[in-house]
Amino acid sequence: MDEEHMLHPSWTDKGPAEMAADSRLFIFSCVIAGLIGILTILYTAFQWRRNINLTWMKAVARSKKNPKAKHKVPIAPHTWELESVSRGKNLNCCACLKPMSPSQTLGPMVASDSFIHRCRICGAAAHLSCSSSAHKDCKCVSMIGFEHVMHQWAVQWTELTDQPDEASFCSYCEEPCSGSFLGGSPVWCCLWCQRLLHVDCHSSMSSETGDICDLGPFRRLILSPLYVKELSPSSGFLSSITHGANEFASSVRATIRSQSKKHKHDNETLIDTSGNGSISDISTECTSDTPQNINGSHSIGDNCDGGVNVGTPLQDGGIDKKMESKPSFKRSGSINQKDESQALRMKQKYELIDMPPDARPLLVFINKKSGAQRGDSLRQRLNLLLNPVQVFELSSTQGPEIGLFVFRKVPHFRILVCGGDGTVGWVLDAIDKQNFISPPPVAILPAGTGNDLARVLSWGGGLGSVEKQGGLCTVLQHIEHAAVTILDRWKVAILNQQGKQLQSPKFMNNYLGIGCDAKVALDIHNLREENPEKFYNQFMNKVLYAREGAKSIMDRTFADFPWQVRVEVDGVEIEVPEDAEGVLVANIGSYMGGVDLWQNEDETYENLDPQSMHDKILEVVSISGTWHLGTLQVGLSRARRLAQGQSIKIQLFAAFPVQIDGEPWFQQPCTLSISHHGQAFMLKRTTEESLGHAAAIVTDVLESAETNHVINASQKRALLQEMALRLT
């Protein structure tokens, strides 16, 4: 016993409770050791699988560089942009295949380690030192000279957010394309049709199909690279000079001919009217004031029929120089328009040629400064789903005109605007200036703050709702089956007491507000200009709107509003309620993020009609302060109906904040005259699948009839308008 006690003192001295605790500790230690062992095995297997994948990728890269490939594959270099390394920490370099995140060091981070190169088209990432040696396997936007669109197989450098449902399986063997460490062969993805393919299956598929790509489920919306021609900077410059010289020469020849004819006509007129001693002015169409001649120069005034009136007095000898100067001025006006087209041609990088008549590509405009500020992400996702040539980013230096200029030769196309209500109005204004006989219809991806027009057209109230419904793939499907509808557009002229315009007219699509609601919008606008970093998503924008509105609840700034404005509807003065602190003129049934101001279901006003966005009639309501705006937002109250009409004049006897479609400014005393400007074609998402397919089929039939010269563009426009009214 003594020897046993000396050998195991801890076991003999401990009681049963202590021994049980020690056994539990021993079991727990064994479990921890086992877990560590399992994790070590998994990590080793993962590293082994990763090394195999890297070996596969290197083999794939070598095979792509093989000049003896059976099928010619187009190549394109990456378009690199600087990006913070924190946004690419989970990516691998497409050149050296090493992780993009820098290794942890004790010293300070080198500047070159703080940034990486990221391709703005395909999303591939590369170290700054590796980007120059990266393989040219980006999306090739132009395949001029190819008979068919070829698959562009590439490694999935980024996780694709938007993919069709069937894209998770190999397009050849139909086996799952797994990303696990036991998932089998590495996977390629086609940059055009988004199909996945095992690398092992490529040779078999290529021998059977010739690597011909059908552009996938969105083939009707994708601008085929077969019809995109890349313009070199020198060729664009020379072609613009040549085109301008030819246009100038033709205009000079036409002017010489017209002047010779008119000179002959002048001589005949002088002979016929010599007994009267004067010449009658042939330009009698305009009734505007005749401009004065100052210091012998010609002053220019607006002509009543959209032309230009050049006023010149009769010179000594009785010869009216107007006949000589008028053609010259018309030529200068046409040259100004040609200068604008030449400026756009200088910026043009691609040209669309030989487009088939059944092509229906989608033209995309993105405003990355809209409320949600997710333009960069949307641009990259749309570049992957579509042709990057059809995706344009709007900025202070580039408007929608360049995109419309590139698509000017496309007979039928649709437009997607990624932005808020202000961006939609910007694009609609640019479409108006193009003078389309049958303008393209416009769909909306709601990326602003309120997104009222997108709500009315059933596109959703924000990007969050879009992501919940399936992302951009679902949006593209809805665009393909959307119904064409009509939106009234209104011109807002700002006049002085004499009825003369103080500035260029503005255009309204949604609503116009004067008073307390415009003040909140103006305060938010000023705050955004001073602190743009605070407006980083849609939710925070609404929080800031609520905060600015709460500041004005106790501030009775517009207590005298009813006596400082005069509202006239169709020539009849409308009484403004004494408790009103603002007036709103509405064209659509959504305001301030979904508030229905008119309430069509309200039957208490028997003499007023339901609201419609294509009846050429506006609705006028009043609100009684910022608190009323808050209760409207949560549905606890309603706006007060005042009138309906086609022509509205609001006279301001004091300075007031004014906003049109959420764009505010501070307006001095004036008269706001609102009149119907025209109608725009819009795309409305159909909730019923059968209705959407029917609308798409009818639209296709009308466009095909126009292409085959069965009907002309004006007839197609009239039929589309009638269809839009019946479907909505």
Side-chain angles (χ1 to χ4, degrees):
M1 292 294 296
D2 294 338
E3 294 179 358
E4 184 178 358
H5 179 73
M6 292 175 63
L7 292 174
H8 306 286
S10 60
W11 286 95
T12 56
D13 294 342
K14 291 182 179 180
E18 294 179 351
M19 293 179 65
D22 290 341
S23 63
R24 286 194 296 268
L25 180 62
F26 176 75
I27 294 172
F28 180 74
S29 301
C30 292
V31 171
I32 295 298
L35 289 175
I36 293 175
I38 293 173
L39 291 176
T40 303
I41 295 173
L42 291 176
Y43 178 76
T44 304
F46 174 78
Q47 290 294 105
W48 170 74
R49 179 59 185 166
R50 182 175 178 273
N51 292 333
I52 292 179
N53 280 337
L54 293 181
T55 304
W56 269 105
M57 290 180 184
K58 292 178 181 179
V60 167
R62 286 194 297 269
S63 67
K64 286 189 174 184
K65 296 178 183 178
N66 184 11
K68 297 181 180 180
K70 183 176 181 181
H71 301 286
K72 183 181 178 182
V73 178
I75 60 174
H78 293 282
T79 305
W80 299 115
E81 288 183 338
L82 280 177
E83 191 172 278
S84 174
V85 70
S86 60
R87 301 184 63 181
K89 58 183 179 180
N90 297 325
L91 302 176
N92 290 335
C93 176
C94 65
C96 67
L97 306 180
K98 295 180 181 179
M100 296 304 303
S101 56
S103 58
Q104 298 295 330
T105 58
L106 296 177
M109 183 178 291
V110 185
S112 60
D113 293 336
S114 302
F115 295 94
I116 61 174
H117 271 148
R118 189 79 180 270
C119 180
R120 65 179 295 170
I121 294 177
C122 67
H127 298 109
L128 299 184
S129 58
C130 299
S131 58
S132 59
S133 60
H135 184 57
K136 297 179 179 180
D137 58 352
C138 191
K139 198 169 190 175
C140 186
V141 300
S142 175
M143 295 187 187
I144 291 290
F146 285 78
E147 186 177 355
H148 303 283
V149 179
M150 306 299 293
H151 281 297
Q152 280 196 267
W153 301 112
V155 178
Q156 278 189 331
W157 299 111
T158 60
E159 182 180 357
L160 296 182
T161 308
D162 310 284
Q163 269 191 320
D165 296 335
E166 65 275 7
S168 59
F169 296 88
C170 175
S171 58
Y172 182 75
C173 67
E174 298 183 356
E175 294 293 329
C177 294
S178 174
S180 64
F181 71 95
L182 295 177
S185 171
V187 176
W188 272 346
C189 176
C190 178
L191 297 177
W192 287 102
C193 62
Q194 310 302 319
R195 292 187 178 95
L196 301 183
L197 178 73
H198 292 130
V199 176
D200 293 343
C201 300
H202 176 253
S203 58
S204 301
M205 180 179 180
S206 178
S207 61
E208 293 181 10
T209 65
D211 254 1
I212 296 176
C213 180
D214 63 353
L215 299 180
F218 306 122
R219 62 183 65 90
R220 282 173 55 87
L221 300 178
I222 295 176
L223 177 62
S224 174
L226 298 176
Y227 312 113
V228 178
K229 179 181 178 181
E230 187 173 2
L231 301 176
S232 61
S234 58
S235 66
F237 177 73
L238 292 176
S239 64
S240 64
I241 292 178
T242 304
H243 180 80
N246 293 336
E247 292 290 337
F248 181 77
S250 61
S251 63
V252 169
R253 288 193 296 268
T255 303
I256 293 175
R257 286 194 298 267
S258 63
Q259 286 183 348
S260 62
K261 291 180 181 179
K262 291 190 176 183
H263 181 69
K264 181 179 179 181
H265 177 71
D266 292 345
N267 293 335
E268 294 175 354
T269 307
L270 285 172
I271 294 173
D272 293 338
T273 59
S274 58
N276 298 331
S278 64
I279 303 174
S280 60
D281 187 2
I282 63 172
S283 179
T284 57
E285 296 179 359
C286 182
T287 58
S288 59
D289 296 337
T290 303
Q292 300 296 324
N293 187 305
I294 303 175
N295 297 331
S297 62
H298 303 291
S299 62
I300 302 171
D302 292 336
N303 201 330
C304 59
D305 58 354
V308 181
N309 179 25
V310 181
T312 53
L314 292 175
Q315 304 293 327
D316 294 340
I319 301 176
D320 189 356
K321 300 295 183 181
K322 185 183 293 185
M323 296 182 184
E324 297 181 5
S325 62
K326 194 169 184 179
S328 175
F329 183 78
K330 282 188 176 180
R331 184 178 70 249
S332 66
S334 62
I335 289 177
N336 289 334
Q337 295 178 353
K338 292 168 186 174
D339 287 342
E340 183 179 355
S341 64
Q342 289 176 12
L344 293 174
R345 190 175 287 105
M346 290 287 292
K347 296 180 180 180
Q348 186 180 0
K349 298 180 180 179
Y350 301 93
E351 184 179 6
L352 308 185
I353 59 175
D354 301 328
M355 289 288 294
D358 59 342
R360 305 289 188 271
L362 183 68
L363 174 59
V364 182
F365 294 110
I366 300 176
N367 186 0
K368 67 178 185 179
K369 290 189 176 181
S370 292
Q373 296 194 8
R374 291 171 58 181
D376 290 334
S377 172
L378 290 174
R379 182 196 63 197
Q380 182 177 322
R381 292 164 64 183
L382 287 167
N383 281 339
L384 288 174
L385 292 173
L386 304 172
N387 192 329
V389 173
Q390 61 191 115
V391 181
F392 291 84
E393 188 174 298
L394 301 178
S395 65
S396 58
T397 58
Q398 177 174 292
E401 290 79 11
I402 181 64
L404 295 171
F405 184 78
V406 172
F407 271 64
R408 69 192 184 280
K409 296 181 181 179
V410 181
H412 307 293
F413 65 96
R414 294 185 170 191
I415 293 177
L416 173 63
V417 179
C418 306
D421 294 328
T423 307
V424 177
W426 189 6
V427 174
L428 292 179
D429 290 343
I431 293 175
D432 277 347
K433 295 178 182 178
Q434 302 300 315
N435 296 323
F436 288 107
I437 299 177
S438 181
V442 179
I444 305 173
L445 181 64
T449 301
N451 303 308
D452 289 295
L453 187 55
R455 294 173 190 270
V456 171
L457 297 173
S458 302
W459 293 110
L463 290 178
S465 62
V466 171
E467 301 295 350
K468 292 178 182 178
Q469 294 175 1
L472 294 182
C473 285
T474 304
V475 171
L476 295 179
Q477 292 173 0
H478 289 160
I479 290 175
E480 196 165 1
H481 300 111
V484 178
T485 188
I486 301 295
L487 173 70
D488 287 328
R489 304 196 70 223
W490 302 85
K491 183 175 72 173
V492 181
I494 303 176
L495 312 174
N496 60 11
Q497 294 181 353
Q498 289 74 31
K500 294 185 178 181
Q501 289 193 7
L502 297 175
Q503 55 183 282
S504 299
K506 300 178 182 292
F507 298 96
M508 180 188 78
N509 303 312
N510 301 354
Y511 40 73
L512 177 146
I514 303 172
C516 60
D517 81 299
K519 181 180 183 301
V520 175
L522 184 61
D523 292 341
I524 287 292
H525 174 77
N526 295 333
L527 183 62
R528 186 196 295 267
E529 294 293 324
E530 297 172 0
N531 305 287
E533 69 280 356
K534 293 184 178 181
F535 297 80
Y536 55 86
N537 62 38
Q538 186 182 18
F539 175 75
M540 283 304 302
N541 294 354
K542 290 186 176 181
V543 170
L544 293 174
Y545 265 97
R547 189 190 71 177
E548 294 300 320
K551 289 181 180 179
S552 304
I553 288 179
M554 302 304 295
D555 183 14
R556 295 275 297 173
T557 306
F558 305 102
D560 298 330
F561 180 84
W563 297 275
Q564 294 176 332
V565 297
R566 180 179 181 271
V567 180
E568 182 181 301
V569 178
D570 290 341
V572 179
E573 183 176 356
I574 304 300
E575 181 181 358
V576 180
E578 294 185 0
D579 61 343
E581 294 189 19
V583 167
L584 287 166
V585 181
N587 182 47
I588 64 174
S590 180
Y591 165 76
M592 203 169 58
V595 176
D596 187 359
L597 294 173
W598 194 249
Q599 299 284 342
N600 280 343
E601 66 275 6
D602 190 355
E603 299 179 355
T604 57
Y605 300 87
E606 297 181 354
N607 58 334
L608 297 175
D609 297 325
Q611 186 182 45
S612 173
M613 64 179 180
H614 44 64
D615 59 357
K616 300 181 182 180
I617 293 178
L618 290 172
E619 286 71 34
V620 184
V621 300
S622 68
I623 51 178
S624 55
T626 310
W627 175 260
H628 191 194
L629 285 175
T631 56
L632 283 173
Q633 184 71 38
V634 297
L636 296 179
S637 64
R638 297 182 178 182
R640 183 169 179 177
R641 295 184 180 184
L642 297 183
Q644 286 179 305
Q646 297 178 330
S647 175
I648 297 175
K649 290 185 178 180
I650 303 177
Q651 190 172 359
L652 307 181
F653 300 106
F656 281 104
V658 181
Q659 61 97 1
I660 295 179
D661 297 345
E663 304 296 329
W665 75 95
F666 198 77
Q667 180 62 51
Q668 297 299 320
C670 69
T671 298
L672 302 177
S673 177
I674 308 173
S675 58
H676 192 260
H677 173 65
Q679 291 182 318
F681 284 129
M682 306 297 293
L683 289 174
K684 183 175 183 178
R685 186 177 73 88
T686 54
T687 55
E688 299 180 10
E689 186 175 356
S690 58
L691 180 61
H693 285 289
I697 291 173
V698 172
T699 303
D700 282 344
V701 169
L702 293 178
E703 291 176 348
S704 299
E706 181 191 6
T707 303
N708 297 326
H709 305 290
V710 178
I711 60 176
N712 57 33
S714 300
Q715 291 172 332
K716 187 198 78 171
R717 179 188 177 99
L719 291 173
L720 280 176
Q721 288 177 330
E722 184 65 23
M723 182 189 73
L725 295 177
R726 292 181 180 274
L727 288 178
T728 56

